[in-house]
């Protein structure tokens, strides 16, 4: 089985919910977003988590399942180490790799487009 080629784009996740409003709905939307993305043939080259977005890669178990599928398909998942430390989640990372501002900024600069959710 060949790997799906990665697109020249990235997803930036700066919070643990999608949109403004109900928190449970926002977490559910996050899970659905990554499920939908994992089923697609047009995959991002990277997914970047900062601020409370790091909670998705540590605490949102259903989103983590879909992120692991994306990671297995070759998507680079970068999680802000400073942010993990701030929220006391440095030992909870379930998917992706601990990263820093330099690598996350570089991933943004080298992508043709960055989609912020």
């Amino acid at each position: 089985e060949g790997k799906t080629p990665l697109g020249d784009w990235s997803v930036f996740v700066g919070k643990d919910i999608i949109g403004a409003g109900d928190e449970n709905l926002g977490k559910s939307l996050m899970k659905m977003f990554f499920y939908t993305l994992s089923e697609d043939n047009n995959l991002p080259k990277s997914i970047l988590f900062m601020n409370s977005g790091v909670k998705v890669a540590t605490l949102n178990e259903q989103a983590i399942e879909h992120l692991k599928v994306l990671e297995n398909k070759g998507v680079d998942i970068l999680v802000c180490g400073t942010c993990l430390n701030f929220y006391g989640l440095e030992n909870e990372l379930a998917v992706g790799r601990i990263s820093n501002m330099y690598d996350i900024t570089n991933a943004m600069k080298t992508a043709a487009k960055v989609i912020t959710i």
Side-chain angles (χ1 to χ4, degrees):
E1 175 185 350
K3 287 201 173 198
T4 304
L6 302 179
D8 189 19
W9 57 287
S10 295
V11 176
F12 177 79
V13 184
K15 54 189 195 289
D16 60 338
I17 63 172
I18 290 182
D22 185 82
E23 190 173 331
N24 288 327
L25 175 61
K27 287 179 182 174
S28 182
L29 292 171
M30 187 71 73
K31 170 195 71 173
M32 288 186 276
F33 175 82
F34 286 118
Y35 169 74
T36 303
L37 197 59
S38 72
E39 293 290 301
D40 203 312
N41 287 326
N42 181 6
L43 300 177
K45 67 177 180 177
S46 61
I47 303 173
L48 315 167
F49 292 93
M50 293 188 86
N51 207 326
S52 67
V54 302
K55 293 179 181 180
V56 177
T58 54
L59 302 175
N60 188 331
E61 291 179 21
Q62 291 174 306
I64 288 165
E65 287 179 39
H66 308 311
L67 287 164
K68 284 181 177 176
V69 170
L70 289 160
E71 188 174 51
N72 288 336
K73 291 182 176 183
V75 178
D76 196 11
I77 298 176
L78 304 178
V79 184
C80 167
T82 300
C83 308
L84 287 168
N85 292 339
F86 178 85
Y87 289 108
L89 296 170
E90 57 274 3
N91 296 319
E92 306 296 323
L93 189 63
V95 64
R97 60 188 173 94
I98 296 176
S99 190
N100 56 45
M101 187 64 80
Y102 178 83
D103 289 338
I104 291 171
T105 303
N106 195 53
M108 289 180 176
K109 290 191 303 187
T110 58
K113 68 179 176 183
V114 177
I115 296 171
T116 300
I117 60 164

